[in-house]
Amino acid sequence: MSTATTPTLDKEPAADAQGPAPDPDRRSAEPAQDGLAARLAANPKWLVIGFAVLVVLVSAVVTGDGSWPGGWTADIRTPLEDLDNWLVDNRDSHWLFLYFLLHISNAAEGGVDAIVGLFDSLGWVGVTVIGTLIAWAAGGADRSRRAVRTGATALAVFAVCGILDMWAPTMETLALMVVAVILAGLLGLLLGLASGLSDRFEKLLRPVFDTMQVMPAFAYLLPLLLIFGVGVPSALIATVIYAAPPMARLTSLGLRGADPVALEAARSLGASPWQRLYTAKLPLARKQMMLGLNQTIMMCLSMVVLASLIGGGGLGDEIYQALGKLDIGTALTAGVAVVLVAVLLDRTTSAAGERLDASQTATEPAGMAKVRAAVWGGIVVLLAVFAAVGSALWESEWPEGWTVSWGQPINDAVNWFTDHLGSGIPLVGGTVTWAEGFTEFILNPLRSGLLATPWWALMLLVAVVGWFVGTWRASLTGCVGLALIGAMGLWDRSMDTLSQVLGALVLTVIVGLIVGIVSARVERAERVLRPVLDTMQTMPQFVYLIPVIALVGLSRTAGIIAAVIYAAPAVIRITTQALRGVDPAAMEASKSLGATGKQQLFQVQLPLARKALLVGVNQGVVLVLSMVVIAGLIGGGALGYDVVQGLSKGNLAQGLPSGIAIVCLGIMLDRISQPAVRSRKGS
Amino acid sequence: MNSKRIRNTAIAGVGVLGALALTAGCGAADTQSSGTDKVVLAEPSWVGASANAAVVSKLMADEMDVKVDVQQMDEPVAFDALDSGKADAILEDWHGVPKKQKKYVEDKKTVVSGGDLGVVGHIGWFVPKYYADKHPDVTDYKNLNKYYKDFRTSESGDLGHFMGAAPSYSQHDKGLIKNFGLKFKHVPSGTEAAQLKEMQRLYKAKKPFLAYWWEPQWMNNDIEMVEVKLPKYTPGCEIPEEKAKCGYETNQLEKFLNKDFSENGGAAAEFLKNFKWSTEDQNEVAQMIAGDGMKPEKAAEKWIKENKSTWEKWIPEDA
Amino acid sequence: MSESAEHTPVISVRNLWKVFGPKAASVPENSALKGLSAAEVRESTGCTAAVRDVSFDVNKGEVFVVMGLSGSGKSTLVRCLTRLIEPTAGTLEFDGDDVRGMDTESLRTLRRHRASMVFQNFGLLPHRTVLDNVAYGLEIQGVGKAERRERAGEMVDKVGLEGLGHRRPAQLSGGQQQRVGLARALAVDPEVLLFDEPFSALDPLIRRDMQEEVVRLHNEEGRTMVFITHDLSEALRLGDRIALMRDGEIVQLGTPEEIVANPADDYVRDFVRDVPREQVISVRRAMRPADAGEAEDGVALTPGTLVSDAIEAVARSGKPARVMKDGELLGVIDHERLLSVVARLGEDDATGAAADEGKVAAV
């Protein structure tokens, strides 16, 4: 679009863009006479967008400074500082804290402590045995491949975590996970029930969940930190808030999507609402709920690691501390432990889900249910026995002699790698040179462009794009988001962040599309990629921050690369799936007409998969945005840095508005990249 | 139809109430830890702090049978934790959060000083020695504008690049750059780790850079930095930042204790108040941890074995 | 067949309306709207009238078929009977009890014990075994586990699923799944079985099996059935009486024979055009008065004998056959008469005959 319009800009005198033009359709019709415009004129929507881009470019050149008018900002620092002070002053005396929040905080801490204590008294043998047994039982508690494989995975994960000398932090993380998953699961379940059964709650909760989805977790770490102080409770509550929505969403989806005929059958047999819920709705939604639980667990894990920033402890802490010493080896080892824990939890829950699935299509031996119950009973008994006598029999932690230290060799390897790639490769330069080029020729112009664009022109563009892609509601939401940013006095910093987000997004989409297309067309590429993508998605982002700096220097590009690493896997996956999911009949038809592979790709697969690809782009937006704060840790600056600073200084007045600004940007980008179908679905 | 909706809403309402009851109900279980057999130390995110914490935990566990729980938190958060009693002590405070310090120590009186750590901290602006050797007069801030072109990067554009500190560190560099009219752009580092890595990279490539830097700092054993002279610090000269025109205070790093713990913590509190070692001692341990990749416990063990005379004085007599 | 004198309606429907849309209730009340066609109603109010002013009785022990094309309102109608869909207006009695006036509890009792339904898409619970699916209705009633298992087991056998009780629905074929649905409905021993196009999702051959199954069950138990279908041959095969629906209204109600022999309007005539009439129309309708001398001669047939059977008898004997009832001669049927049935001649006569019997649109 913009490349096509740029030449027009040079020809057109600025006269056309003098005013913001109340009715864009009519005004633009006159100058639109040459080739491009004629093509655009065929579709009024394109015409409007073209006009908006024109206004943006021309006004940017003419005014050269796009700042939000200073008079239109509201002072939010003072009230926030007051609130901050009030919180600090009243934290130990106000009834709200004494009789409510303190209890929550204590319960959270107590719960986690209790589990840590339990793991301690179980000892490493007890934890490994019981963990393996639970995985095996979840897989079906029999000699089937699934059950054995799940159990073996668990055994291997525990052993490797021990061998990597990560036993203690792994147990801490697991303890926090156990409590977080239980709470998030229950909360999600209840909210999901509420919105699955009541339209009113659904209406109430859906925007909340939508917002949660684009809200970077860091945005609410800060208020929690102020209320609960640093430590386990804040980490736990942040985790629960972050991880509950998928469970709630999928529960609601499952309840609403339950086979209507089965439900009607239940009704026709005279089932009461409760009977219908217990005997039909819930069992029918079971699969979705299992999927929700799985997602909730994965989100819990990623948050538990992040929460080390506010005293969560465990593996995240290990990583964070290792980074302080530039000890990539240890950080990576801890990162591997996180990935392993993710593998353990994912395999176990998905095995349980598969078993539920399989039980609907296979006949089981009659006694199997009883055997399974006995196995679970046995696990509980064993748990009690080990808890009672475990500490007497063996040590609570993995024996030190059985560990291998990977730290130093990994450090050396990473250093060698980064040293040689960083610069000085003949002819092509090195990653540092490329990064500098990227900053200079893409990021800097983009940022100055955004800063030069008048706020009203940008709003116009957002409104038009929102209306074009989605609905008028999307464009309204986008504009309100931008206005809020302006009103908070964060326009310039937000434009800086926006330029980075756009840069990262473009890279993510390019990488995602190319790799996705390759892996959709080459079976082997997909097989090789799958574990890599899994690792990229579960590996805590902290781990690769330092190597990235070694490769490209402390700059915005480093933050962008981190964001691309984090966001690309999802886009790759969606692209692959979308291309694979194209109607086979259409593919066959084109093949029968003698289309080449390339023709098939560009004329059939990509156009047909367009909608799914848009969802991929939207997903990319959300994920890139959630990395803004992380990027702030390694030179991203702007809003991300402000949030980090607010967080580490416990400064509400600095952190919160920036957090809100990120959310606003997020909602704005999400809405204008979200195809209208999605916003219309439901009801 | 209508009654159905009401019923569903009621069911849903019960669900949400249940959720609330759940969170509130969990609150019933109360846990309080008593002070003296377990001590919670706040450990800021730099290596020197790990060295303090490692030696203290090892000694307290071996010699006094006190369990130490080390929690990672930076100064600003640590002060809140000291105030609320979530942490008992911080062993190395750089006076980076004067506001909170004043509020808790002077106004609320919930946090008390635990005396000096013995280590002297110094913050300033530094350039690498290889650059200072070539341009000796860069070591005065007044001459920085002469050389700003050498410091340009893609991040700073036409200006020189000033590598700022991690967000939680005490700093007023932005104000200084503005008030001295320096042609530099303040580019903050998101974390200390990021800054260290970047400096390591630039140092290896022998590139010029100007950075917020400090000692004690374990990396000073690997790289040689030269300080750029800033106007002398006088108390309060950096507040507010917009008017700051001076360098940084040379700090006697201080320990702070939660007041309750200080009064009722018995031998443990006594030990922490006695704990005092030199910059060299700390650097020795820090270098073992960060430079040689030793585990903090191992490094502490080694230091303890070799420096009995130093730490003997810290153990209170009644322990 | 039970078209005998026993007229005790199990279900009695009068002037039933179901209107979807905003201000649905106003349509049946408004006499101006009442008279409009479905399309006109939608035009003027935005409401869809799915069932319009429908009245009929379902007699004890009969198979009452509601037939119509998709969108004719027949599925809505059957759901209105147990208020799975709430009727907009009209009266609805079940054994004399006013269904529309029932509170939740008695409505639930009605659904639990008195009427159960078989669905087009089965509506089985995939996570339960066949046995537990069949026992589901009993479970809802609160019957103890052992008892309901036993009863469910009997039902599973009864519908021909012996030995499949521990399978899951997904492991069964479509026909078998519908047998489970049937067993589930039977398990609660309802007074009335409601079938909502139960066999339209099945293959033709299996459909035929299932229809025979229903006929068999009906012969064995004599249970009252309301059967919804869009398949005319199914309706003719199963129905004691058929209500033909179009645009929410009943256009004709009568025995299969009446409908085929005597369509009420062009729509119905069009509908039944391809029906092999000799298999529906009985000799009673086709016979002529006996001439002198014919009274003593020829094969004796009952008045209910189908024309197709009469053709065989007449062809075999080579002479006209006598239609006898209780030893009394009603008439004679010969080649000509039989041929005219097959060749659709003399439909006007048939109309006249039907009018004599006075059974069209009995209510």
Side-chain angles (χ1 to χ4, degrees):
Chain A
M1 251 335 276
S2 65
T3 50
T5 328
T6 317
T8 333
L9 166 70
D10 300 331
K11 274 185 273 165
E12 222 80 64
D16 182 53
Q18 279 307 328
D23 51 349
D25 298 70
R26 204 159 309 154
R27 277 184 65 87
S28 60
E30 295 164 41
Q33 247 131 45
D34 41 30
L36 166 78
R39 196 144 37 84
L40 293 181
N43 184 338
K45 277 197 169 183
W46 280 109
L47 195 67
V48 175
I49 283 211
F51 176 73
V53 171
L54 197 70
V55 166
V56 167
L57 291 171
V58 173
S59 62
V61 171
V62 172
T63 61
D65 175 27
S67 280
W68 184 265
W72 291 13
T73 55
D75 176 28
I76 45 169
R77 282 189 87 93
T78 320
L80 281 176
E81 262 159 20
D82 290 347
L83 176 64
D84 197 341
N85 287 333
W86 184 88
L87 280 172
V88 171
D89 289 340
N90 292 282
R91 223 166 3 201
D92 338 300
S93 52
H94 197 267
W95 61 268
L96 188 64
F97 289 91
L98 286 182
Y99 299 109
F100 185 61
L101 297 174
L102 187 66
H103 285 302
I104 294 185
S105 158
N106 284 337
E109 200 137 19
V112 175
D113 280 352
I115 305 275
V116 170
L118 177 68
F119 286 166
D120 247 16
S121 50
L122 286 176
W124 66 275
V125 179
V127 170
T128 309
V129 168
I130 288 176
T132 307
L133 280 177
I134 289 179
W136 174 66
D142 49 19
R143 273 177 302 173
S144 69
R145 245 189 89 183
R146 181 178 53 236
V148 173
R149 199 181 49 205
T150 317
T153 308
L155 186 63
V157 165
F158 282 114
V160 173
C161 284
I163 290 171
L164 290 176
D165 200 10
M166 286 289 156
W167 186 265
T170 305
M171 287 306 112
E172 256 180 71
T173 296
L174 266 185
L176 197 54
M177 282 291 294
V178 169
V179 181
V181 166
I182 291 176
L183 288 181
L186 278 176
L187 183 67
L189 181 69
L190 290 171
L191 291 178
L193 278 176
S195 75
L197 297 178
S198 149
D199 288 340
R200 202 169 304 167
F201 266 92
E202 158 89 353
K203 232 176 242 156
L204 213 69
L205 286 175
R206 201 192 310 151
V208 177
F209 291 157
D210 277 352
T211 313
M212 298 281 292
Q213 213 173 17
V214 292
M215 175 132 64
F218 280 96
Y220 46 82
L221 281 187
L222 185 57
L224 284 175
L225 201 61
L226 281 170
I227 294 172
F228 293 105
V230 75
V232 169
S234 303
L236 188 68
I237 292 167
T239 308
V240 169
I241 295 178
Y242 182 67
M247 181 71 190
R249 253 175 199 278
L250 281 161
T251 302
S252 161
L253 203 67
L255 289 176
R256 285 178 182 272
D259 179 14
V261 187
L263 294 183
E264 192 177 31
R267 218 150 73 88
S268 82
L269 288 166
S272 67
W274 283 113
Q275 285 177 322
R276 243 179 304 147
L277 182 64
Y278 278 127
T279 57
K281 277 190 182 172
L282 281 178
L284 287 173
R286 203 162 55 170
K287 197 176 157 193
Q288 297 270 24
M289 286 162 67
M290 207 62 207
L291 200 67
L293 185 65
N294 181 290
Q295 281 191 20
T296 288
I297 288 178
M298 289 328 219
M299 291 183 76
C300 269
L301 187 63
S302 68
M303 192 61 195
V304 160
V305 173
L306 273 187
S308 69
L309 273 184
I310 54 167
L315 288 168
D317 212 24
E318 202 74 13
I319 295 172
Y320 205 56
Q321 289 202 23
L323 290 184
K325 301 174 231 164
L326 299 189
D327 183 356
I328 316 283
T330 307
L332 195 67
T333 314
V336 168
V338 172
V339 174
L340 288 177
V341 171
V343 168
L344 166 71
L345 297 170
D346 177 59
R347 296 297 184 278
T348 307
T349 45
S350 53
E354 275 173 37
R355 194 175 63 72
L356 286 185
D357 248 15
S359 69
Q360 292 182 8
T361 51
T363 319
E364 291 198 322
M368 206 52 222
K370 281 200 185 107
V371 171
R372 210 166 281 136
V375 168
W376 283 110
I379 289 175
V380 172
V381 171
L382 207 59
L383 190 72
V385 172
F386 280 168
V389 300
S391 45
L393 295 179
W394 45 68
E395 295 205 20
S396 69
E397 285 186 22
W398 188 267
E400 220 165 302
W402 295 10
T403 59
V404 181
S405 175
W406 297 97
Q408 211 45 50
I410 294 180
N411 273 338
D412 294 343
V414 171
N415 280 340
W416 184 90
F417 189 65
T418 50
D419 285 354
H420 286 79
L421 281 181
S423 56
I425 302 174
L427 290 178
V428 291
T431 47
V432 175
T433 338
W434 299 348
E436 276 168 5
F438 184 74
T439 311
E440 238 162 88
F441 296 112
I442 296 181
L443 282 184
N444 285 348
L446 194 58
R447 178 169 64 181
S448 12
L450 279 173
L451 284 174
T453 307
W455 59 271
W456 48 262
L458 200 67
M459 271 196 178
L460 176 70
L461 184 66
V462 166
V464 170
V465 173
W467 167 73
F468 182 67
V469 181
T471 56
W472 62 269
R473 207 173 296 175
S475 55
L476 185 69
T477 317
C479 286
V480 169
L482 278 182
L484 211 57
I485 287 172
M488 287 191 298
L490 289 169
W491 186 264
D492 288 2
R493 297 184 81 69
S494 300
M495 287 308 113
D496 191 350
T497 293
L498 182 60
S499 71
Q500 296 176 41
V501 167
L502 291 177
L505 187 63
V506 170
L507 272 186
T508 304
V509 169
I510 292 175
V511 170
L513 279 183
I514 291 177
V515 180
I517 289 174
V518 169
S519 86
R521 298 177 70 83
V522 186
E523 193 85 24
R524 195 182 310 151
E526 201 206 356
R527 228 175 306 133
V528 173
L529 267 177
R530 201 178 298 149
V532 177
L533 296 184
D534 282 342
T535 312
M536 274 162 86
Q537 275 184 315
T538 40
M539 179 67 83
Q541 302 93 330
F542 290 150
V543 175
Y544 46 75
L545 296 189
I546 298 301
V548 164
I549 291 179
L551 279 176
V552 304
L554 181 62
S555 61
R556 279 168 289 157
T557 311
I560 286 179
I561 289 183
V564 173
I565 293 178
Y566 182 63
V571 181
I572 293 175
R573 282 223 167 96
I574 294 176
T575 307
T576 309
Q577 269 171 19
L579 293 185
R580 286 261 165 91
V582 163
D583 181 12
M587 291 294 286
E588 206 174 7
S590 73
K591 207 174 195 173
S592 76
L593 289 170
T596 64
K598 209 165 126 195
Q599 283 171 326
Q600 266 192 324
L601 176 66
F602 285 101
Q603 291 166 4
V604 183
Q605 277 181 306
L606 286 179
L608 282 183
R610 212 191 67 177
K611 207 151 260 171
L613 293 179
L614 280 178
V615 172
V617 172
N618 181 256
Q619 193 64 28
V621 167
V622 171
L623 290 175
V624 163
L625 237 119
S626 72
M627 280 295 283
V628 163
V629 176
I630 303 269
L633 291 172
I634 49 165
L639 293 178
Y641 178 84
D642 291 347
V643 172
V644 174
Q645 184 158 40
L647 202 57
S648 56
K649 290 207 162 182
N651 185 345
L652 195 65
Q654 180 177 21
L656 195 63
S658 301
I660 295 174
I662 294 178
V663 175
C664 287
L665 279 182
I667 293 177
M668 185 265 281
L669 287 173
D670 177 60
R671 291 299 181 274
I672 66 174
S673 66
Q674 194 175 47
V677 188
R678 233 178 87 193
S679 48
R680 261 193 247 122
K681 99 175 171 198
S683 85
Chain B
M1 292 307 264
N2 205 23
S3 71
K4 189 180 120 207
R5 169 152 341 128
I6 291 169
R7 192 172 55 227
N8 279 346
T9 312
I11 292 175
V14 169
V16 168
L17 279 180
L20 288 176
L22 186 86
T23 30
C26 288
D30 215 21
T31 47
Q32 266 320 339
S33 62
S34 65
T36 43
D37 56 341
K38 191 179 155 215
V39 174
V40 179
L41 289 184
E43 182 198 314
S45 61
W46 52 84
V47 183
S50 305
N52 298 332
V55 168
V56 164
S57 341
K58 184 83 186 149
L59 279 174
M60 286 180 95
D62 292 356
E63 306 293 326
M64 301 167 60
D65 214 17
V66 175
K67 195 170 174 281
V68 179
D69 183 9
V70 179
Q71 286 191 2
Q72 173 130 33
M73 44 184 117
D74 282 342
E75 286 167 304
V77 188
F79 263 95
D80 289 340
L82 286 178
D83 166 55
S84 65
K86 284 214 170 110
D88 294 316
I90 180 169
L91 299 176
E92 182 176 320
D93 176 67
W94 285 61
H95 302 147
V97 280
K99 257 202 224 156
K100 287 202 170 164
Q101 189 178 329
K102 182 171 174 298
K103 177 177 238 158
Y104 294 137
V105 179
E106 287 172 28
D107 302 349
K108 278 181 89 180
K109 298 202 196 315
T110 48
V111 179
V112 295
S113 169
D116 291 340
L117 172 69
V119 178
V120 177
H122 176 67
I123 301 172
W125 290 7
F126 287 77
V127 291
K129 184 159 185 300
Y130 53 77
Y131 186 76
D133 285 348
K134 254 193 275 173
H135 310 281
D137 59 344
V138 79
T139 53
D140 191 321
Y141 77 94
K142 290 178 191 133
N143 299 328
L144 280 173
N145 275 351
K146 250 171 51 185
Y147 297 104
Y148 81 95
K149 281 190 175 156
D150 290 351
F151 295 92
R152 284 182 307 187
T153 66
S154 56
E155 280 299 312
S156 61
D158 293 335
L159 300 172
H161 183 125
F162 179 90
M163 195 187 299
S168 64
Y169 296 5
S170 45
Q171 52 187 305
H172 49 272
D173 306 319
K174 250 191 194 164
L176 291 182
I177 290 172
K178 196 175 130 251
N179 295 334
F180 294 152
L182 298 178
K183 291 176 181 164
F184 278 82
K185 182 171 178 185
H186 180 266
V187 181
S189 308
T191 45
E192 182 187 326
Q195 188 187 354
L196 295 186
K197 190 73 208 177
E198 176 71 351
M199 284 177 59
Q200 213 178 42
R201 182 179 75 83
L202 293 168
Y203 198 90
K204 229 182 239 172
K206 294 266 180 271
K207 292 234 174 90
F209 60 93
L210 172 64
Y212 170 100
W213 192 238
W214 63 95
E215 48 190 22
Q217 173 29 279
W218 62 271
M219 226 171 76
N220 281 331
N221 293 321
D222 299 334
I223 63 175
E224 231 177 315
M225 302 290 289
V226 176
E227 183 167 9
V228 175
K229 217 177 88 212
L230 292 170
K232 205 173 148 24
Y233 171 87
T234 51
C237 70
E238 83 279 24
I239 301 170
E241 193 187 333
E242 295 77 45
K243 294 199 177 126
K245 278 200 165 184
C246 60
Y248 289 86
E249 179 186 15
T250 297
N251 250 325
Q252 274 296 334
L253 304 189
E254 198 175 353
K255 295 169 288 182
F256 283 97
L257 276 59
N258 171 272
K259 181 144 179 275
D260 261 3
F261 172 71
S262 167
E263 284 166 6
N264 309 319
E270 204 54 36
F271 173 87
L272 290 180
K273 286 179 201 159
N274 293 340
F275 172 62
K276 184 169 184 178
W277 60 350
S278 67
T279 309
E280 290 73 40
D281 286 326
Q282 193 196 51
N283 257 347
E284 193 186 331
V285 181
Q287 176 61 21
M288 282 192 269
I289 296 174
D292 309 339
M294 276 170 87
K295 289 199 150 199
E297 308 89 74
K298 288 270 151 42
E301 206 179 313
K302 189 160 175 246
W303 184 87
I304 288 169
K305 212 181 271 168
E306 291 162 5
N307 295 278
K308 188 158 201 259
S309 59
T310 314
W311 58 259
E312 250 177 353
K313 306 181 289 226
W314 302 341
I315 312 285
E317 276 156 31
D318 51 342
Chain C
M1 296 219 178
S2 50
E3 55 186 276
S4 53
E6 194 190 349
H7 281 298
T8 44
V10 180
I11 299 174
S12 168
V13 177
R14 291 292 177 278
N15 309 102
L16 194 74
W17 282 80
K18 175 63 204 177
V19 183
F20 294 102
K23 291 188 201 157
S26 68
V27 177
E29 285 164 9
N30 187 328
S31 52
L33 288 173
K34 251 174 110 166
L36 298 178
S37 78
E40 286 164 342
V41 168
R42 182 166 321 149
E43 188 105 322
S44 59
T45 63
C47 292
T48 309
V51 175
R52 301 198 299 152
D53 204 13
V54 165
S55 303
F56 61 86
D57 284 330
V58 178
N59 298 326
K60 195 166 175 54
E62 81 170 332
V63 178
F64 185 88
V65 173
V66 179
M67 209 209 78
L69 299 179
S70 57
S72 61
K74 56 192 189 304
S75 286
T76 309
L77 176 62
V78 74
R79 279 167 175 74
C80 284
L81 297 183
T82 55
R83 278 170 59 193
L84 287 175
I85 290 177
E86 200 65 49
T88 313
T91 59
L92 182 56
E93 283 178 6
F94 206 108
D95 278 342
D97 299 334
D98 176 18
V99 176
R100 288 199 69 207
M102 285 180 178
D103 59 8
T104 320
E105 199 49 49
S106 27
L107 186 61
R108 213 171 277 157
T109 314
L110 172 83
R111 290 177 186 165
R112 283 183 186 181
H113 298 283
R114 291 162 73 182
S116 57
M117 191 152 164
V118 180
F119 295 87
Q120 178 177 8
N121 292 317
F122 323 139
L124 302 178
L125 298 171
H127 58 283
R128 290 170 169 246
T129 60
V130 166
L131 205 60
D132 285 336
N133 260 299
V134 173
Y136 185 50
L138 298 170
E139 186 182 332
I140 284 170
Q141 293 177 10
V143 176
K145 191 165 183 173
E147 191 191 339
R148 68 174 191 247
R149 285 253 163 135
E150 195 196 318
R151 294 246 301 267
E154 288 167 20
M155 289 308 142
V156 168
D157 294 349
K158 189 171 201 165
V159 297
L161 292 176
E162 295 92 343
L164 299 181
H166 291 282
R167 298 261 179 112
R168 311 270 167 172
Q171 295 171 285
L172 303 179
S173 70
Q176 286 172 322
Q177 290 192 34
Q178 193 56 293
R179 281 173 199 265
V180 178
L182 186 57
R184 176 176 65 187
L186 284 173
V188 298
D189 191 22
E191 245 180 285
V192 178
L193 271 177
L194 307 173
F195 292 86
D196 178 28
E197 299 205 41
F199 308 140
S200 27
L202 304 179
D203 291 340
L205 280 180
I206 298 168
R207 195 181 307 163
R208 182 144 202 137
D209 281 353
M210 294 300 293
Q211 285 162 0
E212 274 157 21
E213 187 77 32
V214 169
V215 170
R216 184 176 67 83
L217 281 171
H218 186 244
N219 291 343
E220 279 174 18
E221 300 182 331
R223 213 182 291 273
T224 313
M225 296 179 177
V226 176
F227 199 103
I228 309 295
T229 182
H230 66 254
D231 178 354
L232 182 64
S233 63
E234 186 168 85
L236 296 174
R237 179 171 302 131
L238 298 176
D240 290 327
R241 285 193 300 145
I242 298 175
L244 220 147
M245 281 185 81
R246 180 194 183 191
D247 284 345
E249 285 172 313
I250 293 186
V251 286
Q252 189 171 6
L253 190 149
T255 64
E257 190 177 351
E258 282 160 8
I259 286 180
V260 171
N262 189 15
D265 59 13
D266 288 345
Y267 177 75
V268 181
R269 186 168 299 123
D270 221 31
F271 223 96
V272 301
R273 179 185 298 153
D274 296 329
V275 173
R277 300 160 56 89
E278 68 281 7
Q279 288 172 21
V280 180
I281 293 173
S282 61
V283 290
R284 180 197 298 125
R285 199 171 288 273
M287 67 191 179
R288 59 171 167 77
D291 293 340
E294 285 179 329
E296 304 304 318
D297 202 18
V299 192
L301 299 172
T302 57
T305 309
L306 290 177
V307 169
S308 56
D309 297 332
I311 290 174
E312 201 189 330
V314 170
R316 199 160 284 172
S317 66
K319 287 181 193 158
R322 294 174 299 158
V323 181
M324 309 276 289
K325 191 183 180 191
D326 302 331
E328 187 190 338
L329 178 69
L330 298 179
V332 166
I333 186 144
D334 56 13
H335 287 85
E336 263 171 69
R337 277 285 169 172
L338 288 171
L339 269 176
S340 73
V341 169
V342 176
R344 292 165 202 281
L345 297 173
E347 273 187 356
D348 292 341
D349 289 355
T351 314
D356 291 344
E357 278 179 64
K359 282 195 81 170
V360 174
V363 282

